[in-house]
């Protein structure tokens, strides 16, 4: 079982048809898959908060958007998530590579890795931590939560997720 394929297939099963991405080493195989899919509009960006705004516009235009990003970008996105998505009840699925947790080789990733779950809790953003076998169910639950509650949701994919087989 390949983690990247599981995430990609789960997104497809949930009808994701618009994806904004910010580069991340753990998403390096997923982003080209999204880009090559003729049923998905892919918009690469350089800043996460830019992606939040583009996804909000896509949702208002009838698309089912997702944002692929690293958790360090959550800090960049707080204002956009609070003053746009949460305020105006705009759902978004954020597939987040959760760096700075167990197995992280770069010490600069650790502070934001530790703070990511508490930041999401503070912002009342539901988050999910799937294991590889539960990827499809977790992403389905995340999408259900996002669209029923009209809220941003995060799926945190820790370093160990990417090494599961």
């Amino acid at each position: 079982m390949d983690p990247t394929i599981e995430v990609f297939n789960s997104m497809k099963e949930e009808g994701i048809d618009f994806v904004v991405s910010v580069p991340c080493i753990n998403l390096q195989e997923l982003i080209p898959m999204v880009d090559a899919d003729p049923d998905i509009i892919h918009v690469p960006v350089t800043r996460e908060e830019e992606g939040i705004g583009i996804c909000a516009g896509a949702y208002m235009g009838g698309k089912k958007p997702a944002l692929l990003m690293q958790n360090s970008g959550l800090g960049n996105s707080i204002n956009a998530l609070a003053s746009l998505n949460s305020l105006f009840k705009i759902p978004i699925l954020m597939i987040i590579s959760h760096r700075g947790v167990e197995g992280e080789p770069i010490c600069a990733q650790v502070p934001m890795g530790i703070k990511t779950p508490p930041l999401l809790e503070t912002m009342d953003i539901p988050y999910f931590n799937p294991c590889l076998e539960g990827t499809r169910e977790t992403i389905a639950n995340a999408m259900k939560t996002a669209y029923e509650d009209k809220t941003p949701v995060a799926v945190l994919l820790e370093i160990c997720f990417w090494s599961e087989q």
Side-chain angles (χ1 to χ4, degrees):
M1 189 179 292
D2 181 279
T4 298
I5 292 172
E6 283 299 301
V7 171
F8 179 77
N9 288 341
S10 300
M11 291 170 59
K12 293 283 291 181
E13 287 176 10
E14 293 306 314
I16 297 294
D17 59 3
F18 191 96
V19 175
V20 175
S21 67
V22 182
C24 169
I25 193 164
N26 290 330
L27 303 171
Q28 67 181 335
E29 294 176 14
L30 181 60
I31 292 171
M33 291 173 74
V34 165
D35 193 59
D37 191 301
D39 298 326
I40 297 175
I41 296 172
H42 177 221
V43 181
V45 296
T46 57
R47 301 271 306 176
E48 293 78 5
E49 66 270 34
E50 179 184 14
I52 297 291
I54 291 170
C55 284
Y59 170 75
M60 288 186 269
K63 295 294 185 185
K64 261 188 159 176
L67 176 60
L68 305 178
M69 61 189 267
Q70 183 179 311
N71 64 305
S72 59
L74 180 64
N76 299 335
S77 306
I78 288 174
N79 184 49
L81 287 165
S83 62
L84 180 61
N85 291 76
S86 294
L87 180 63
F88 294 106
K89 308 279 185 201
I90 299 172
I92 182 174
L93 174 68
M94 297 181 289
I95 304 288
I96 299 177
S97 168
H98 191 181
R99 302 286 307 268
V101 293
E102 187 174 333
E104 176 60 58
I106 301 172
C107 66
Q109 298 283 359
V110 173
M112 192 60 189
I114 293 169
K115 298 291 185 193
T116 295
L119 281 171
L120 291 168
E121 290 165 8
T122 297
M123 297 177 63
D124 296 322
I125 295 176
Y127 65 95
F128 302 83
N129 295 90
C131 62
L132 183 55
E133 288 185 13
T135 302
R136 290 180 189 215
E137 182 179 343
T138 300
I139 290 179
N141 286 335
M143 283 294 288
K144 182 178 178 187
T145 300
Y147 281 81
E148 284 183 1
D149 297 346
K150 303 288 186 203
T151 185
V153 298
V155 175
L156 299 177
L157 303 174
E158 296 184 359
I159 293 170
C160 62
F161 175 85
W162 300 103
S163 60
E164 290 184 54
Q165 294 293 324

